[in-house]
Amino acid sequence: MSNYDWNSVFPDTPESFKNKVSATLNSLPDKKEIDKMKNVKVFKKGSIRKKIIGALVATMVVGTTVFAAGKVTSITSHSSNIPTYTTIPTVQQVKKDFECNPKLVNKFDNGYTFVNGYIGDNKGTDDKGNFAGKTKSLDFDYAKGNDKLSLDMENGRLGERSKKETVAANYKGIDLYYYSYTNKFVPANYKMTEQDKKDKASGKYVFSFGSDKEKMSQVQGLNWMEDGVYYSFLGIDSNISKDELVKMAQQVISTK
């Protein structure tokens, strides 16, 4: 499936939100299982340049992925570009704001430290615009030097698990699912070569159209479900390894 360079589409939004949009589209079931993405609409109250507070609404038409309440043709995510938290919140704060009780980590043993946190809302609708499931999300950005990661926590999971995800480990009875792929960003008017077509068909690259120049980007993630909360690590061009992600997930699971 061809995709857009979401980092350029949403230039001034939280890193976790841009990562989430990219991962949501690129980790969907294979092309045989879904229709191609048809349209993208972005609405924002106020000026992006001036960072005026407002909700970003990204409507992504993603085919016929099965969600909790039926087949969904679009996902709408709302997230402010202003952090909800600039320091790690307390359990009481999160339980009040998020209406759920995820496990919180301020600093991981490998050095990744909390930077910002955002509250978001996600809703699925079918091709007739009917409601087909929703979740509330808590998106945390972490940094270790110049390296960045995001950890998304949702009070449930929308959609089926992608076939791209494989079980990396089982910890305390919980399966940890890992995925990775290489994005090849190209300009909107880029004409795919025969080699490009072979690379796309083989899964070597996921092609993303809309970048100002050609570039490669490595995407990887790890996710799991525990006590009704869906946790998802995401790294784009991160130095972190698969084993490190597994250890970070284990630290979250072991948090009291």
Side-chain angles (χ1 to χ4, degrees):
M1 180 175 68
S2 297
N3 304 292
Y4 289 90
D5 180 355
W6 298 108
N7 286 332
S8 63
V9 175
F10 307 134
D12 202 38
T13 58
E15 189 72 20
S16 57
F17 183 81
K18 290 187 290 187
N19 289 349
K20 184 176 177 180
V21 171
S22 176
T24 296
L25 292 176
N26 291 319
S27 66
L28 286 171
D30 295 333
K31 187 175 181 180
K32 292 181 180 179
E33 303 171 69
I34 61 173
D35 296 327
K36 67 180 180 179
M37 186 180 71
K38 298 177 181 178
N39 189 28
V40 175
K41 297 180 181 178
V42 180
F43 304 91
K44 181 157 180 156
K45 181 180 179 181
S47 168
I48 289 179
R49 293 178 183 275
K50 295 182 179 179
K51 298 186 180 181
I52 294 177
I53 297 177
L56 172 70
V57 182
T59 303
M60 298 161 286
V61 181
V62 294
T64 55
T65 303
V66 179
F67 279 57
K71 291 185 177 181
V72 163
T73 56
S74 68
I75 304 167
T76 305
S77 296
H78 303 255
S79 181
S80 172
N81 66 328
I82 303 299
T84 307
Y85 313 110
T86 54
T87 58
I88 192 78
T90 64
V91 173
Q92 291 75 17
Q93 279 180 290
V94 169
K95 192 171 184 179
K96 177 182 177 182
D97 298 339
F98 187 50
E99 300 173 358
C100 197
N101 193 26
K103 294 179 177 179
L104 309 178
V105 176
N106 183 37
K107 185 174 182 178
F108 286 92
D109 294 340
N110 59 359
Y112 285 90
T113 304
F114 176 87
V115 178
N116 289 312
Y118 306 82
I119 294 288
D121 293 287
N122 316 292
K123 184 179 73 171
T125 55
D126 62 20
D127 57 359
K128 296 181 180 179
N130 297 317
F131 173 80
K134 68 178 181 179
T135 61
K136 198 173 187 69
S137 62
L138 183 64
D139 303 318
F140 281 6
D141 289 338
Y142 289 88
K144 179 182 178 181
N146 293 324
D147 204 56
K148 296 179 181 180
L149 281 176
S150 64
L151 174 59
D152 176 59
M153 294 159 275
E154 295 183 53
N155 59 348
R157 178 187 172 103
L158 293 176
E160 297 178 315
R161 186 171 293 284
S162 170
K163 290 184 178 180
K164 297 181 179 71
E165 301 175 356
T166 59
V167 177
N170 181 284
Y171 184 68
K172 295 187 176 182
I174 299 172
D175 285 334
L176 308 178
Y177 291 87
Y178 177 82
Y179 65 88
S180 67
Y181 57 88
T182 302
N183 252 340
K184 184 173 181 179
F185 292 99
V186 295
N189 60 353
Y190 181 82
K191 300 297 182 182
M192 294 183 69
T193 66
E194 289 302 314
Q195 185 60 51
D196 287 336
K197 294 175 183 178
K198 291 179 182 179
D199 290 339
K200 179 181 178 182
S202 68
K204 182 178 181 180
Y205 300 132
V206 171
F207 284 82
S208 299
F209 291 82
S211 177
D212 58 347
K213 61 181 179 180
E214 290 184 40
K215 60 181 179 180
M216 297 290 190
S217 184
Q218 186 62 38
V219 180
Q220 60 177 326
L222 187 83
N223 59 70
W224 70 97
M225 181 75 77
E226 182 184 10
D227 295 332
V229 178
Y230 176 66
Y231 298 83
S232 179
F233 277 113
L234 182 68
I236 297 180
D237 293 329
S238 171
N239 295 321
I240 198 165
S241 67
K242 175 181 175 180
D243 289 342
E244 281 187 283
L245 283 173
V246 168
K247 290 179 181 178
M248 291 175 76
Q250 292 172 344
Q251 185 174 343
V252 175
I253 293 170
S254 296
T255 299
K256 302 298 184 181

